[in-house]
Amino acid sequence: MMRPHKAYPVELAQFHSADYVEFLHRINPDTQHLFANELSKYNLGEDCPVFENLFEFCQIYAGGTIDAARRLNHQLCDIAINWAGGLHHAKKCEASGFCYINDLVLGILELLKYHSRVLYIDIDVHHGDGVEEAFYFTDRVMTVSFHKYGDLFFPGTGDVKEIGEREGKFYAINVPLKDGIDDGSFTRLFRTIISKVVEMYRPGVIVLQCGADSLAGDRLGCFNLSIDGHAECVRFVKKFNLPLLVTGGGGYTKENVARCWTVETGVLLDTELPNEIPDNEYIKYFSPDHLLRIPNGHMENLNTKSYLSTIKTQVLENLRFIQHAPGVQMQEVPPDFYIPDFDEDGQNPDERMNRHTQDKQIQRDDEYYEGDNDNDHDMDDA
């Protein structure tokens, strides 16, 4: 476990427009009535409400995904998890679907500094439109989204015919599904498509968005997936033994979201968890059975075998057009960090520091430092 840094505005602006980041920084519930035009421009309002500490919220979850990517880049871990991340709808200049900053895009941009090709996989019930749009014209990122499509379901994109453009043509893969898909249908399709994608694309690293609104019983979702079915996708991706960044995403039946990501943390750690939830201060949320896993749903599965076969055939046919391991021109690796200057001597000792300022001065025991802050600098003398 590690506490990530809060992403700086300049880091957020690596993808988002500077004016949008600046507006998120200064808007708050008390002043939003003064900015009606800007709220409309940046799509803040009904689906993306302004709330207290909105910008800090964005900094925290985005910082988690950015730091996860950096740790993978420097081989400090094989798998990095940020369950607070996965806000895949946010666009360059606007919020969307309760996503304000697209941490996934920022994490992928970080990974691209060290990896020629990044594979992004999305199993949220909603189409990963923000991530797809960000990389729609490049072959360095392949986006693969399994999602509900049709019936005006949000965000309304994600047809199998949306495949990317220009250099990115055939590097966007969409698997549009209908209501009620079950574990067997979903996992068979997932394994077939992802196996072929990894074989053809040969990514150096994988980003997996595990939105839990694809579970049965979700308040906004419409699938029949059990937690074990959902987790099987995580288990399958892990078997490729590639560096893996895992995030959360949607999920609107909160007790099932907690169950799902707990089970999937166990999968990623090769740890089998008992089905009985131990006593804890939140146990009342898991009444009456206090069990970790939930069964399949009972909605009618509208995904016929012929429909799923057609989708699979179209996707595999498109994969035939991509080049094996697209070439990438070598260039200087951009720096990892942007750390604003911090003048400790210039601080007023009579002023109380906020938590964020204190956190920036913490030196973690499990990190590596150069110079006098190196915890291991005396080891050579031992």
Side-chain angles (χ1 to χ4, degrees):
M1 296 283 289
M2 66 164 290
R3 178 187 292 167
H5 81 295
K6 293 180 183 177
Y8 298 103
V10 70
E11 291 179 293
L12 305 181
Q14 294 300 301
F15 169 60
H16 295 282
S17 64
D19 60 315
Y20 173 56
V21 172
E22 193 273 334
F23 184 73
L24 288 178
H25 199 176
R26 62 189 171 95
I27 192 67
N28 64 66
D30 295 331
T31 61
Q32 63 176 319
H33 65 282
L34 302 175
F35 300 98
N37 291 337
E38 288 88 345
L39 289 171
S40 176
K41 174 182 177 181
Y42 299 121
N43 199 34
L44 295 175
E46 293 184 7
D47 284 344
C48 303
V50 176
F51 53 87
E52 197 68 38
N53 299 318
L54 166 61
F55 191 69
E56 185 179 37
F57 166 70
C58 295
Q59 289 179 293
I60 291 170
Y61 76 75
T65 300
I66 292 169
D67 280 352
R70 288 171 179 161
R71 293 184 73 80
L72 289 171
N73 281 343
H74 293 286
Q75 301 178 359
L76 297 173
C77 61
D78 301 315
I79 299 172
I81 308 170
N82 177 22
W83 291 127
L87 281 75
H88 57 172
H89 294 307
K91 308 299 197 306
K92 181 180 179 69
C93 302
E94 66 176 37
S96 177
F98 201 75
C99 300
Y100 302 85
I101 292 294
N102 200 315
D103 62 294
L104 291 158
V105 172
L106 295 170
I108 291 170
L109 289 173
E110 201 66 36
L111 293 169
L112 286 171
K113 295 176 182 178
Y114 287 77
H115 299 275
S116 299
R117 294 171 301 283
V118 177
L119 171 60
Y120 171 73
I121 305 170
D122 191 316
I123 58 173
D124 195 290
V125 77
H126 300 98
H127 178 225
D129 59 333
V131 183
E132 178 185 279
E133 181 178 301
F135 301 108
Y136 208 61
F137 299 109
T138 179
D139 60 3
R140 292 197 61 197
V141 179
M142 176 170 278
T143 60
V144 186
S145 180
F146 297 77
H147 51 266
K148 155 75 176 178
Y149 178 74
D151 305 325
L152 301 180
F153 193 74
F154 183 86
T157 53
D159 193 309
V160 71
K161 297 176 183 177
E162 296 171 24
I163 57 173
E165 295 181 18
R166 300 204 298 256
E167 288 82 0
K169 190 173 183 180
F170 302 116
Y171 292 90
I173 295 176
N174 285 296
V175 185
L177 301 168
K178 300 179 181 181
D179 290 0
I181 194 163
D182 54 28
D183 287 352
S185 300
F186 192 92
T187 55
R188 279 193 299 272
L189 193 61
F190 184 87
R191 285 193 292 261
T192 300
I193 290 174
I194 296 303
S195 294
K196 196 63 176 177
V197 164
V198 173
E199 175 192 338
M200 297 295 291
Y201 190 58
R202 299 180 186 176
V205 60
I206 298 176
V207 178
L208 176 60
Q209 197 267 20
C210 297
D213 46 11
S214 46
L215 291 174
D218 188 83
R219 293 179 181 178
L220 295 186
C222 50
F223 287 172
N224 280 332
L225 298 185
S226 70
I227 286 176
D228 283 335
H230 198 274
E232 178 58 31
C233 298
V234 179
R235 182 177 287 106
F236 186 74
V237 172
K238 181 176 181 290
K239 289 179 180 177
F240 290 108
N241 291 319
L242 291 167
L244 178 59
L245 197 168
V246 179
T247 74
Y252 305 94
T253 301
K254 59 182 180 296
E255 57 271 25
N256 288 346
V257 174
R259 286 179 166 107
C260 181
W261 293 343
T262 298
V263 169
E264 289 174 351
T265 300
V267 167
L268 293 165
L269 294 173
D270 295 319
T271 302
E272 186 68 31
L273 300 175
N275 198 27
E276 295 75 25
I277 298 174
D279 189 32
N280 64 83
E281 59 184 308
Y282 303 103
I283 195 68
K284 65 180 182 180
Y285 291 103
F286 305 98
S287 297
D289 51 18
H290 304 131
L291 297 179
L292 189 57
R293 288 166 173 80
I294 63 168
N296 290 27
H298 301 290
M299 293 178 60
E300 180 185 1
N301 185 356
L302 301 181
N303 299 271
T304 63
K305 288 184 179 179
S306 61
Y307 175 75
L308 294 177
S309 178
T310 299
I311 294 296
K312 179 180 71 174
T313 300
Q314 286 182 269
V315 169
L316 297 181
E317 181 66 22
N318 287 338
L319 279 170
R320 291 180 58 245
F321 291 98
I322 75 167
Q323 300 176 21
H324 257 303
V328 177
Q329 184 178 356
M330 297 302 293
Q331 55 189 358
E332 183 179 353
V333 177
D336 280 346
F337 293 167
Y338 172 82
I339 307 290
D341 291 336
F342 178 76
D343 184 4
E344 188 173 352
D345 295 332
Q347 271 193 293
N348 184 343
D350 297 324
E351 287 184 3
R352 183 185 300 273
M353 289 189 293
N354 61 34
R355 178 61 179 271
H356 189 194
T357 305
Q358 293 179 49
D359 283 351
K360 287 194 290 186
Q361 299 182 58
I362 293 174
Q363 295 176 5
R364 294 176 49 82
D365 294 334
D366 59 351
E367 296 289 359
Y368 296 96
Y369 297 90
E370 295 181 353
D372 295 337
N373 290 332
D374 181 3
N375 292 325
D376 300 321
H377 69 279
D378 294 325
M379 290 184 64
D380 292 338
D381 300 330

